[in-house]
Amino acid sequence: MKATEIQAIYVMWLRQMKRFIRSKSRLVSSIVQPLFFLFILGSGFRVAIFEGVGDYLSFLAPGIIAMAILFSSMFTGISVLWDKQFGFLQEVLVAPISRISIIIGRTLGGATVALIQGSIILLISLALGVQISGAIGLIFTLLFMVLIAFTAVGFGLVIASKMEDFQGFQLIMSLVVMPLLFLSSAFFPVTSNPTMKSIAMFNPLFYMVDGLRGSLIIGVETVNSPLFNLIIVIFICIFMMSIGSYLFSKMES
Amino acid sequence: MNIITTDNLTKKYNNLIAVDNVSFSVLKGEIFGFLGPNGAGKTTTIKMLTTLLNPTKGSANIIDFDIIKNRDKVRKNIGVVFQEPALDTELTGGENLDYHARMYAISRDKRKERINAVLKLVDLEDKIDIIVKNYSGGMKRRLEISRGLMHYPNVLFLDEPTLGLDAQTRRAIWNYVKKMNKEEGTTIFLTTHYMDEADYLCDRVGIIDRGKILVIDTIENLKNSIGNDVITLTCSNINSLENRLEKEKWIFNIKKHDSKLTLGVEKGDEKIPLIIEISQSEKIRIKSISVRKPTLDDVFLHFTGRTIREDEKKINVETQSRFRMRGGRR
Ligand SMILES: Nc1ncnc2c1ncn2[C@@H]1O[C@H](COP(=O)(O)OP(=O)(O)O)[C@@H](O)[C@H]1O
Ligand SMILES: [Mg+2]
């Protein structure tokens, strides 16, 4: 790869980081919102007994981490629409750099931001007494976090390339993303109900949450083994990133 | 030497021909302007020349690089200031320039030096560390112009560089444009719908209307082409006077517009008595008559059959709503 392309990737990455650090409201809300979920759901459902779930907080924590990474990365993908609406995209598209570098840089930037957020929630969960697994489990955890981030950026890019305004984004959030998240076992197990379990098999988020949970938490029961989940998630990720980059590269400013 | 050449460049949007077989060339080192009303096809032409849009038909070269086959080479050699603002408002002015320089592969030492140089050119040195959303509209425009110059482009495209700016800022920007054309030798291709802008800045102008180029020439030649002097008059029976005057050989051209007649003539002051004589013999009463030097407005009226001000009213409304949107994004 040429040095200029690496510079371009770096610039795109740096821009995402600078914007994230400067946007105090995004910084705060991206951490406060998941914590809210963690505390409210955590204390609310603690008394309810889910079948096959030991400590509920330990069950919930990976779900919340996945959610935080998902939302943050989707936002990075969608924000291309922002750049389009407000002109900055033209400045990038007219520069002598390839579209692929633009996408790589942006995705890396978005993933870095999402990983920072996910890690903060992970640390807070630790402080709340969630028991996590050893080195190998953490490596798997990191892999899942990265893959979730890339997939969600890709999904955001698909939306941004196909939509003209932000209203469509709201619709997709409430009609697609939220239902998938609820059916992914992020907040409560889906295995107790056979219909929900078979629906989960077609839910990409299920494999991410189940995999993240199996890697991160000691002694938790998961549906699939982390390795199996990992392979499925890798395929989902490649698929999503390919469509996202393809549509982005076709985009006219 | 030609630095831009186009050959029957055409862009169709569905049924609308936004740019219609446009052929022209721009000389190295000149300031060339596209003058035309809103919707004439100026922005579409710039987007094709800057590789952001594919032409439907025709071709164009920038320094011998084809805009379709040799995009990367074209992109390296041009700077663009778009009609819409294209800054990252969450970054500082200096960061916007620095990121730009990196994308154009300017080395670290050069970057710093160049950022200072271009900021100095537009008098923004002391604003380098301020976040762009706190800039005024004029400051943003100046920053964009300086950014367009960062990588020493051979050609700088400016799409309506002073749209929506106040009179004082416009004049300042004109002077920056002239200065960089002189000091850096940058060829400039600009579009505008302001007569005074084209008049003040451009060496040569192409008048474009409804996607077609009607004429291209130096400002002076354009003005002379409709006569050394322009007589405007209002009278009682305008149509019959127009018909009568069309027979006179010493009138180069006649345009009727807005219940006024505009005549292109030589030695205008000597022609006024003649016109009054003719109209008296036709029993037509002249209400007012004046003679003046031709302006670009007259040239525009001559070639398009209307004045640009009628279009401009519409644009002003649109511009205002655009600026409201700009302000509302935070
Ligand atoms: N993306 C588009 N789709 C359809 N029509 C367009 C598009 N962009 C511009 N046009 C039309 O093409 C014509 C020329 O537009 P434009 O090049 O923006 O004119 P100018 O910059 O001279 O005001 C206008 O009639 C405009 O409505
Ligand atoms: Mg325009």
Side-chain angles (χ1 to χ4, degrees), chain B residues 259-272:
Chain B
S259 67
K260 268 188 208 146
L261 276 188
T262 307
L263 319 172
V265 296
E266 300 271 355
K267 299 199 176 122
D269 37 3
E270 293 172 16
K271 299 301 188 303
I272 288 186

Side-chain angles (χ1 to χ4, degrees), chain B residues 42-43 83 159-160:
Chain B
K42 305 183 295 292
T43 299
Q83 187 175 331
D159 197 358
E160 311 243 14

Side-chain angles (χ1 to χ4, degrees), chain A residues 76-98:
Chain A
T76 304
I78 302 269
S79 61
V80 168
L81 195 57
W82 231 278
D83 286 348
K84 185 177 167 186
Q85 208 99 328
F86 298 118
F88 185 76
L89 190 62
Q90 290 190 326
E91 147 79 0
V92 177
L93 293 185
V94 85
I97 55 179
S98 73

Side-chain angles (χ1 to χ4, degrees), chain A residues 17 21 53 67 71 95 101 107 116 128 130 144-145 156-157 159 172 180 205 207 220 239-240:
Chain A
M17 301 307 289
I21 290 164
V53 171
M67 178 188 84
F71 284 0
S101 304
T107 307
I116 294 172
L128 292 175
V130 170
F144 273 107
M145 285 165 79
L157 283 177
I159 300 178
I172 291 203
L180 284 182
L205 296 192
Y207 297 95
V220 75
F239 176 72
M240 215 60 197

Side-chain angles (χ1 to χ4, degrees), chain A residues 123-191:
Chain A
L123 289 179
I124 292 170
S125 315
L126 273 181
L128 292 175
V130 170
Q131 299 281 316
I132 65 163
S133 54
I136 304 220
L138 279 181
I139 291 173
F140 264 75
T141 304
L142 195 65
L143 275 176
F144 273 107
M145 285 165 79
V146 171
L147 286 168
I148 295 173
F150 282 4
T151 312
V153 174
F155 182 62
L157 283 177
V158 173
I159 300 178
S161 318
K162 285 285 134 196
M163 303 241 159
E164 288 299 317
D165 55 38
F166 297 98
Q167 270 138 34
F169 169 57
Q170 295 292 344
L171 211 65
I172 291 203
M173 273 309 274
S174 51
L175 291 187
V176 180
V177 178
M178 287 317 281
L180 284 182
L181 193 61
F182 275 106
L183 294 173
S184 72
S185 83
F187 310 128
F188 46 81
V190 293
T191 42

